[in-house]
């Protein structure tokens, strides 16, 4: 195939045309591992709240690469030396940063694969692709792991102001219709520079940074931690946990082969070999939705009841509170539900449970967002800002929740 055929463009509703910079990136995008991201939703079950939120991680990964192209142009224009090899490594690392996400993302990490985080699986995919592409991803992997000597390159991929966050806030805001998340990524990128190998934002961009942090906080409360999205994800985790429990007891559940493998085996990062990775690469949202549709009719009361909740969007009731919930408060509800549905008290934990969520728009512990002042000094955005609200954005806010069936109201 000729080189020209590989210089494709994508039409993106947010940025307009996104260009594929070279043949290697084109081949990576074409790879089945990457094409799978078309079948992984970016916002999990949030479409149960925001009907437009059906966009995928495929959209998001391309958007991140597009922003990285802009960032490289701006930094080069300001005299930062970035070699063609480094440029390509940045594009590959940001393009593949989310490739390890499973179906409905975080629900998988806490139920079917045992605490194996998507970043670790992304790295496994990258290493496998590196073998297939004869070592052409080696530098990108080094950058992704934070092992490359130029710190700003990792900051562009993973930090408190990276291409990933800039794209997902803007994209999720667009598709969900939650206007508060709409950040000015173009302005933020124009204000970037590198000093002593660290990424900095020029002082005149400070209001854009404040708006970015504020948008992030609001998007978490309004979209990512919206109570209906939250309860739907919690139910999905309970379904997968129950399905795994039944499978390990020898109960036959109708589902796809890749999903069955992960339910029959305890998969940890140590047992994640090439074969497991290949099966993981065949898993997407459709496996889960297909399984839920079948499981609605299963004999197991817990599995069928919970599956119906997601398929028909008839979810558990969730109540948020700023006070911690005592376990004793749930006991009468559990006893009543167990009696009414002829299940054990232990089994009521699938329907009646409590937990907490946290939201922190800016962390003082993580790598700071550095502001380059006019006198060439550098300080943390928290110190530079005259906005009192930025100090409050670095405060960790915790909310507590309880979930229970609506009929217990």
């Amino acid at each position: 195939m000729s080189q020209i055929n590989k210089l494709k463009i994508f039409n993106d509703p947010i940025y307009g045309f996104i260009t594929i910079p070279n043949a290697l990136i084109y081949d990576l995008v074409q790879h089945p591992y990457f094409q799978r991201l078309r079948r992984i939703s970016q916002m999990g079950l949030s479409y149960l709240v925001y009907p437009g939120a059906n966009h995928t991680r495929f959209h998001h990964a391309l958007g991140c690469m597009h922003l990285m192209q802009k960032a490289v142009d701006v930094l080069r224009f300001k005299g930062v030396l970035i070699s063609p090899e480094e440029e390509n490594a940045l594009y590959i690392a940001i393009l593949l940063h989310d490739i390890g996400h499973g179906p409905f993302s975080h629900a998988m990490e806490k139920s079917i694969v045992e605490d194996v985080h998507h970043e670790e699986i992304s790295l496994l995919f990258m290493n496998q692709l590196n073998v297939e592409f004869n070592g052409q991803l080696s530098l990108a992997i080094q950058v992704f792991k934070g092992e490359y000597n130029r710190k700003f390159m990792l900051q562009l991929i993973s930090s408190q102001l990276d291409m990933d966050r800039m794209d997902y806030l803007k994209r999720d805001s667009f598709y969900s219709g939650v206007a508060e998340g709409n950040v000015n990524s173009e302005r933020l990128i124009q204000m970037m520079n590198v000093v002593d190998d660290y990424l900095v934002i020029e002082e005149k961009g400070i209001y854009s940074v404040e708006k970015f942090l504020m948008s992030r906080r609001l998007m978490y409360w309004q979209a990512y931690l919206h109570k209906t999205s939250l309860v739907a994800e919690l139910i999905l985790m309970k379904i997968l946990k129950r399905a795994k429990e039944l499978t390990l007891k020898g109960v036959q559940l109708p589902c796809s082969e890749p999903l069955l493998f992960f339910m029959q085996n305890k998969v940890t990062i140590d047992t994640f070999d090439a074969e497991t990775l290949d099966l993981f690469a065949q898993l997407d949202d459709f496996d889960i939705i297909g399984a839920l549709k079948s499981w609605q009719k299963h004999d197991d009361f817990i599995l069928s009841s919970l599956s119906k909740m997601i398929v028909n969007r008839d979810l558990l009731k969730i109540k948020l509170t700023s006070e911690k919930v005592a376990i004793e408060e749930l006991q009468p509800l559990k006893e009543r539900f167990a009696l009414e549905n002829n299940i054990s008290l232990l089994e009521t934990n699938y329907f009646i449970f409590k937990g907490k969520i946290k939201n922190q728009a800016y962390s003082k512990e993580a790598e700071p967002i550095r502001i380059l002042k006019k006198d060439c000094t550098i300080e943390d955005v928290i110190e530079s800002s005259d906005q009192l609200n930025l100090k409050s954005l670095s405060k960790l806010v915790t909310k507590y929740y309880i979930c229970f069936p609506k009929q217990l109201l």
Side-chain angles (χ1 to χ4, degrees):
M1 192 189 270
S2 71
Q3 196 86 336
I4 298 301
N5 286 348
K6 297 192 174 186
L7 300 177
K8 300 282 187 191
I9 54 173
F10 286 95
N11 198 345
D12 184 72
I14 293 166
Y15 310 120
F17 292 116
I18 292 177
T19 55
I20 300 274
N22 57 52
L24 173 60
I25 300 281
Y26 174 85
D27 290 336
L28 286 169
V29 169
Q30 281 294 88
H31 195 283
Y33 287 171
F34 192 79
Q35 288 292 321
R36 164 184 164 273
L37 295 181
R38 289 182 184 272
R39 304 185 298 279
I40 304 278
S41 61
Q42 173 69 14
M43 287 179 72
L45 289 159
S46 292
Y47 64 83
L48 293 174
V49 182
Y50 300 108
N54 276 307
H55 56 303
T56 66
R57 293 201 173 267
F58 183 86
H59 283 116
H60 164 62
L62 289 173
C64 291
M65 184 192 69
H66 173 76
L67 293 181
M68 188 66 86
Q69 287 170 298
K70 299 275 180 215
V72 168
D73 288 348
V74 166
L75 293 176
R76 276 191 178 146
F77 180 73
K78 292 181 181 178
V80 180
L81 295 175
I82 299 172
S83 71
E85 292 74 26
E86 288 172 330
E87 176 184 4
N88 221 21
L90 283 170
Y91 296 160
I92 293 167
I94 197 68
L95 187 73
L96 304 179
H97 78 282
D98 265 353
I99 200 168
H101 269 290
F104 298 110
S105 309
H106 307 291
M108 282 291 287
E109 283 175 30
K110 299 190 177 80
S111 53
I112 286 193
V113 286
E114 312 280 325
D115 289 323
V116 185
H117 295 291
H118 68 268
E119 289 93 347
E120 296 172 296
I121 303 175
S122 290
L123 203 50
L124 293 173
F125 274 126
M126 283 186 190
N127 288 328
Q128 181 59 35
L129 287 166
N130 200 25
V131 173
E132 288 182 34
F133 285 89
N134 305 318
Q136 291 183 83
L137 280 72
S138 298
L139 186 56
I141 291 169
Q142 234 186 314
V143 173
F144 185 78
K145 288 164 81 172
E147 291 171 358
Y148 192 57
N149 59 1
R150 304 191 76 185
K151 296 186 195 76
F152 79 90
M153 287 177 66
L154 177 64
Q155 286 177 284
L156 287 168
I157 293 156
S158 177
S159 67
Q160 299 207 69
L161 187 63
D162 56 24
M163 302 304 118
D164 174 36
R165 290 182 183 189
M166 275 189 218
D167 181 81
Y168 78 61
L169 286 174
K170 201 171 177 64
R171 190 168 297 279
D172 296 349
S173 158
F174 176 87
Y175 281 97
S176 64
V178 178
E180 286 78 3
N182 190 7
V183 295
N184 191 347
S185 46
E186 207 145 297
R187 165 92 176 150
L188 284 164
I189 290 170
Q190 286 297 332
M191 294 297 116
M192 285 182 168
N193 208 334
V194 173
V195 175
D196 298 334
D197 213 32
Y198 284 106
L199 196 64
V200 296
I201 301 289
E202 291 160 9
E203 190 174 9
K204 56 184 180 245
I206 192 162
Y207 299 118
S208 301
V209 176
E210 287 174 1
K211 165 79 165 61
F212 169 83
L213 292 173
M214 200 45 134
S215 297
R216 189 162 183 265
R217 180 195 182 90
L218 294 172
M219 277 299 281
Y220 266 85
W221 286 134
Q222 266 185 275
Y224 311 130
L225 296 176
H226 185 288
K227 61 180 193 164
T228 308
S229 307
L230 175 66
V231 75
E233 189 169 293
L234 291 165
I235 293 168
L236 183 57
M237 276 154 53
K238 299 272 182 194
I239 294 170
L240 294 172
K241 188 175 166 230
R242 181 62 171 178
K244 191 160 189 171
E245 199 178 290
L246 292 171
T247 305
L248 293 174
K249 282 182 185 164
V251 178
Q252 289 285 308
L253 293 181
C255 65
S256 69
E257 273 179 51
L259 183 54
L260 187 62
F261 172 84
F262 285 96
M263 292 201 304
Q264 286 174 335
N265 297 280
K266 187 179 166 71
V267 177
T268 62
I269 192 66
D270 303 322
T271 60
F272 223 109
D273 55 17
E275 204 179 321
T276 310
L277 188 69
D278 196 51
L279 280 159
F280 187 86
Q282 295 171 46
L283 264 186
D284 55 50
D285 290 5
F286 294 87
D287 296 77
I288 304 294
I289 294 292
L292 296 186
K293 286 168 73 181
S294 299
W295 296 347
Q296 290 180 98
K297 299 177 180 67
H298 199 270
D299 297 341
D300 183 70
F301 170 76
I302 296 168
L303 188 67
S304 65
S305 303
L306 294 174
S307 296
K308 279 176 196 158
M309 286 180 192
I310 300 283
V311 175
N312 303 319
R313 199 197 176 279
D314 188 8
L315 307 167
L316 294 170
K317 178 77 182 158
I318 179 167
K319 281 188 175 172
L320 289 180
T321 159
S322 50
E323 301 296 312
K324 213 168 180 174
V325 184
I327 195 83
E328 296 76 48
E329 285 182 48
L330 303 182
Q331 202 55 29
L333 293 174
K334 289 184 171 187
E335 286 168 8
R336 194 180 131 198
F337 193 72
L339 200 63
E340 285 174 9
N341 295 284
N342 199 21
I343 58 172
S344 71
L345 267 177
L346 187 65
E347 288 173 331
T348 61
N349 290 334
Y350 279 103
F351 298 91
I352 301 164
F353 48 90
K354 67 188 189 83
K356 62 183 176 185
I357 47 175
K358 295 174 179 172
N359 186 359
Q360 185 178 28
Y362 184 74
S363 167
K364 288 178 182 168
E365 281 70 58
E367 185 87 29
I369 295 176
R370 296 174 173 84
I371 300 295
L372 175 64
K373 311 266 289 193
K374 290 191 176 70
D375 61 3
C376 292
T377 57
I378 290 172
E379 61 183 19
D380 189 325
V381 66
I382 291 285
E383 309 307 320
S384 280
S385 170
D386 54 5
Q387 296 286 328
L388 288 171
N389 63 7
L390 268 208
K391 290 200 170 47
S392 68
L393 286 182
S394 60
K395 229 174 61 191
L396 186 66
V397 180
T398 305
K399 287 186 182 180
Y400 301 90
Y401 62 80
I402 60 166
C403 300
F404 55 90
K406 287 173 184 160
Q407 60 263 43
L408 295 179
L409 273 174

